[in-house]
Amino acid sequence: MDDQDIKLSVHLSLPEWMSGFVSDLKESYPSDEDKMRMVLDLAIRNVEESTGGPFGAAIFDTQSHQVISLGVNRVVPLNNSTAHAEMMAFMLAQQRLQRFRLDTEDHDFVLVTSAQPCAMCYGACPWAGINRVVIGARREDVESLTEFDEGPMPADWIHGLKERGIAVSQDVLRQESRDVFNLYTNKKGTQY
């Protein structure tokens, strides 16, 4: 490899179909179930459009319940192992709000994700300034229904987040979340 092959920037993007999705967003999503349904719609569409893995995520303002950012898994199409739905949502929220830490003294944010965060996304939650995580499918659902490797996680990962001031709600529309992984497997999506 010579110096000409070394890249000095990276470009991550969401699929083109998401611009239409954004234009159809509601003003707010008041309940955890409302938020999760929207996130699952993202994950399903990502599978149906073959634009990435079966994961969706969104960041919401906890006071207004408005969407701050969206994310879908883009690992395979972007050839980037960090392009998980949660990471995409974190980066886009940080870009939109122009700060690396989302929460402030008077503002909290919730990450809603179609599946329990993997080791990388779990680690990013405190640094991103998330105050709450809402999860659909569990890690064991993802690993039993697909070949995805979710990475090493602490046994008491929920306690680890709570110690950092991050509340966790699990199993929100869990079966519907599991169904997205079945859809991906049935469509013979790339497993990694």
Side-chain angles (χ1 to χ4, degrees):
M1 175 181 346
D2 63 31
D3 291 345
Q4 301 296 60
D5 293 333
I6 296 173
K7 302 292 183 199
L8 301 178
S9 67
V10 65
H11 176 78
L12 299 176
S13 61
L14 294 175
E16 289 184 25
W17 59 260
M18 286 189 68
S19 59
F21 193 94
V22 167
S23 65
D24 291 338
L25 289 174
K26 296 178 187 174
E27 180 65 27
S28 71
Y29 294 82
S31 72
D32 287 352
E33 290 78 11
D34 293 334
K35 291 174 177 72
M36 185 62 73
R37 279 187 193 90
M38 189 273 292
V39 164
L40 291 175
D41 287 345
L42 278 172
I44 291 166
R45 183 84 183 266
N46 207 39
V47 171
E48 289 173 343
E49 297 284 343
S50 299
T51 51
F55 302 93
I59 307 287
F60 294 85
D61 179 296
T62 57
Q63 286 86 10
S64 69
H65 304 288
Q66 292 180 328
V67 174
I68 302 300
S69 68
L70 303 172
V72 292
N73 179 285
R74 300 282 286 151
V75 169
V76 172
L78 297 179
N79 293 310
N80 189 311
S81 62
T82 66
H84 289 202
E86 297 93 337
M87 299 301 284
M88 298 295 284
F90 288 150
M91 289 184 277
L92 289 166
Q94 291 161 342
Q95 182 180 46
R96 178 177 178 183
L97 299 178
Q98 288 297 291
R99 55 183 186 256
F100 63 87
R101 187 166 177 90
L102 299 175
D103 61 343
T104 62
E105 288 181 20
D106 61 347
H107 237 80
D108 291 344
F109 295 90
V110 60
L111 166 67
V112 178
T113 179
S114 60
Q116 178 181 326
C118 70
M120 173 180 63
C121 298
Y122 166 78
C125 286
W127 297 326
I130 295 299
N131 307 94
R132 187 165 170 254
V133 180
V134 176
I135 300 166
R138 291 186 178 216
R139 173 191 181 104
E140 55 264 29
D141 298 329
V142 174
E143 290 181 342
S144 70
L145 297 171
T146 69
E147 296 174 20
F148 288 106
D149 177 1
E150 296 299 280
M153 290 281 286
D156 197 4
W157 63 272
I158 292 176
H159 181 72
L161 290 177
K162 287 182 179 177
E163 282 185 328
R164 292 177 174 260
I166 302 171
V168 176
S169 298
Q170 293 189 97
D171 301 336
V172 177
L173 302 181
R174 183 178 180 187
Q175 184 55 52
E176 292 89 333
S177 300
R178 290 172 50 90
D179 292 344
V180 179
F181 298 106
N182 283 323
L183 174 66
Y184 189 74
T185 299
N186 291 340
K187 284 189 59 105
K188 309 254 185 277
T190 302
Q191 306 282 331
Y192 52 90

